[in-house]
Amino acid sequence: MPGELTDFGDFVQASLPGLLRYGHALTGNPHDAADLVQTVLEKIGSRWSYVQHKTGDPMAYIRRSMANAHISRWRRTKRESLVADLPDTQPYSPADPFEHEPLWRALRALPPRQRAVMVLRYYEGLSEAEIADSLGVSQGTVKSQASKAISSLRTKLALFEPKDEGREAG
């Protein structure tokens, strides 16, 4: 449905919930997801007619832009230097309901590209070809990143499993 919308406002209104979910899965929290979506949509809005007519699939273009922006932001924050003085008070922030979920914690620990592949594949339900197109990589890269991510998730989730001796394998 969003691919058929010609007005940018209509497109945003129809696709915003899905973009926020995708952003939340990429960033790990709803606040950074909203910032990511807003940043990308601001850039896309001024070039909407180009994006719509030249890319063929504006949603794939926006997802790729979100993944790239998230990776760029992650790289920038990695270079930040720590300060010696801490603020006096911590602002209140409500607890993330998924904070202690093992799968969510394991997914959040993945590198950005692996997380993007897993989110696009299993959360958005895209094929390997669609993921490769969205992220601007080859299908082989998608497969290898997915394989590495699944292996890492299995290892991390095995650490969270309770050690029940009498439990049957199922």
Side-chain angles (χ1 to χ4, degrees):
M1 175 174 63
E4 299 171 358
L5 299 173
T6 57
D7 181 54
F8 182 67
D10 293 340
F11 177 84
V12 170
Q13 188 173 17
S15 59
L16 187 61
L19 292 174
L20 287 171
R21 285 190 307 269
Y22 174 60
H24 188 178
L26 277 176
T27 62
N29 73 62
H31 306 291
D32 288 341
D35 289 345
L36 179 64
V37 170
Q38 180 179 354
T39 300
V40 169
L41 289 178
E42 283 176 355
K43 291 178 183 177
I44 300 290
S46 62
R47 304 179 334 208
W48 178 243
S49 55
Y50 168 79
V51 169
Q52 187 178 23
H53 297 313
K54 299 293 182 181
T55 63
D57 186 4
M59 185 59 85
Y61 184 85
I62 290 172
R63 282 190 189 120
R64 180 177 178 193
S65 297
M66 287 176 64
N68 290 341
H70 174 63
I71 291 168
S72 295
R73 183 181 296 165
W74 176 76
R75 286 179 181 151
R76 272 193 311 272
T77 60
K78 191 176 179 182
R79 293 186 204 139
E80 290 179 354
S81 59
L82 300 176
V83 295
D85 298 326
L86 297 175
D88 292 335
T89 60
Q90 295 276 336
Y92 172 76
S93 61
D96 185 355
F98 299 112
E99 182 70 27
H100 301 291
E101 290 291 325
L103 179 60
W104 192 251
R105 289 171 54 195
L107 183 66
R108 217 179 353 214
L110 291 175
R113 183 179 281 181
Q114 289 179 14
R115 185 185 318 164
V117 168
M118 297 305 290
V119 168
L120 288 171
R121 178 70 183 112
Y122 296 103
Y123 192 76
E124 292 290 329
L126 298 181
S127 69
E128 290 171 353
E130 292 170 323
I131 296 169
D133 185 49
S134 290
L135 297 179
V137 297
S138 69
Q139 286 188 27
T141 300
V142 171
K143 290 178 186 180
S144 69
Q145 292 294 306
S147 176
K148 290 175 186 175
I150 289 172
S151 175
S152 178
L153 288 173
R154 283 184 181 140
T155 302
K156 289 176 179 157
L157 290 176
L159 298 175
F160 292 119
E161 286 185 5
K163 307 289 186 213
D164 290 342
E165 299 296 326
R167 194 174 80 180
E168 292 181 12

